[in-house]
Amino acid sequence: MGRDIKRSRLLVLTLVVITFTLITIDYRTGRATSGPRGWLHSAVGAVEDGVTTVVRPIGRTASSLLHPNRYQNRADQLEQENAELRRQLADRDEITRLAEDLSDLRLLADRGQYTIIPARVIAVGDVSGTDWTVTINAGSDDGVTVDKVVLNSAGLVGTVESVTSNTATVRLACDPRSRIGARLEGTQLLGAVSGGSGPNTLTFTLYDASYRIQEGERLVTFGSLDYVAGVPIGEVTRVTEVGGLSRTAEVKPYASVGTLDLVGVVVGGPPADPGDRVLPPRTPPADGQPAPPAGTPEQGTAAAPPTAGAG
Amino acid sequence: MSGPHEDDGISPRVFAVAAVVLLASVIIQLSVVARLALPLGRPDLVLTLLAAIALVEGPATGALLGFTVGLFGDLTSTHVLGTSALVLCLVGYAAGLAADLTDRSVLAALLAIAGAAAGGTLGHLGLAALLGDGAVAPGVALPRALAAGLYAALVAPFLFPAVVAGLRRVRRVRP
């Protein structure tokens, strides 16, 4: 028994040394998604896609558990028929929800004249629960490339971190390592949103100390070589810092991380900056009519962004 | 990575079956469990299952299983390679050390599994913070660890007997 314990202690020490070595090497060299890691990503992605397809309609699974198939007499037979109908209803609900999602996404993409590749989330995070990433079922075969903006019908979701042939890993905007150029609605002042404060809060930093951020102001992406401009990000909920050379504020993102399902990878944008027209109209009409996607009049031209005034 | 040794009390057959089950649990964790919008936090199926298996099979199997599964998880993630392997290896080892306690009471097994899930979650978050990868505030990390422990304690009364029975079966079928 004593020898056993000594052996297992030796084993665990060896393993810990191996992990320390791996951590050190990987930390120094940066993360490569090629080689065995990329291969494993695509293999696991295929399995995850399959699992998700089977498990997706959770409502359906739940209702089929509630209504087990057994029929000994007529009442039970009716019961079973009832369960079958219920299952079909649950399926139809799922299909209707997906269709609504897709049309919302399409509308948003049309407002910004974005070319999108729709995809579905097939895995969330990683085994340690510390990665703010999701895996989607579209990859390089579908035209997805690294560093593209990912959005859903509500707004910005994140950016593409790595791709395999049929899947892609999306770094969410709320990841502490994520940093995406942003500007306030109606202005051309450069700022950036970064994550790190939980799934429902982004931090907006405005590199211009002269501008006073107000609560309720809305943010869109600034746009750069890869990142498309004008994607709605969220709304300022609290101004946190007013001193120093920059202004920071807490932002509540439009897209909620907990319910991500259908997303779109923006692979192409309009030739000119779409301005603020992708944002929903400021004051929705009281009668509940879907308002026309009107661009705000003061933001028409796609002027070259002014350099950030470093105070 | 060294292969399983007979003299360490690691049965290759048990190790292979447990490793396959745990790898499947990683995928279920990512594709199913992580998507459930549960209150407080989310259950960690991998840590719970690993702790249950280690409680039956002892520290050597626990550590080696944790290392293997963690490495698999690391390779399919975007964080620094080896971090999950380290945490899961230590969790498997620690749970394995508690194996003797579970012979006396079922409550000890329950507590060990819940503790492993909570400790493992804290370990993951702590290591991520240490490497500057995804630091979360202690006010976020502690509730998440507690939630993971709580869910593990809820699942354990069903999971642990199933794991014990399953492993016994795997051993018995052995030629």
Side-chain angles (χ1 to χ4, degrees), chain A residues 184 204 211-217 235-243 246-251:
Chain A
L184 289 162
F204 174 62
Y211 187 85
R212 286 174 60 89
I213 307 175
Q214 305 278 320
E215 275 177 30
E217 283 192 275
E235 226 170 79
V236 173
T237 51
R238 198 160 68 87
V239 181
T240 46
E241 196 197 312
V242 288
S246 59
R247 299 275 179 268
T248 52
E250 275 179 15
V251 175

Side-chain angles (χ1 to χ4, degrees), chain A residues 101-126:
Chain A
D101 259 15
L102 197 58
S103 68
D104 285 351
L105 184 67
R106 198 63 256 174
L107 275 175
L108 184 96
D110 284 351
R111 277 209 298 271
Q113 291 175 295
Y114 302 137
T115 313
I116 59 164
I117 296 169
R120 302 188 78 178
V121 172
I122 55 169
V124 177
D126 72 319

Side-chain angles (χ1 to χ4, degrees), chain A residues 19-20 23 130, chain B residues 80 82-87 120-134:
Chain A
T19 59
F20 274 140
I23 291 173
T130 57
Chain B
V80 180
T83 50
S84 304
L86 177 62
V87 172
T121 307
L122 264 190
H124 281 310
L125 293 172
L127 203 57
L130 208 65
L131 293 169
D133 237 12

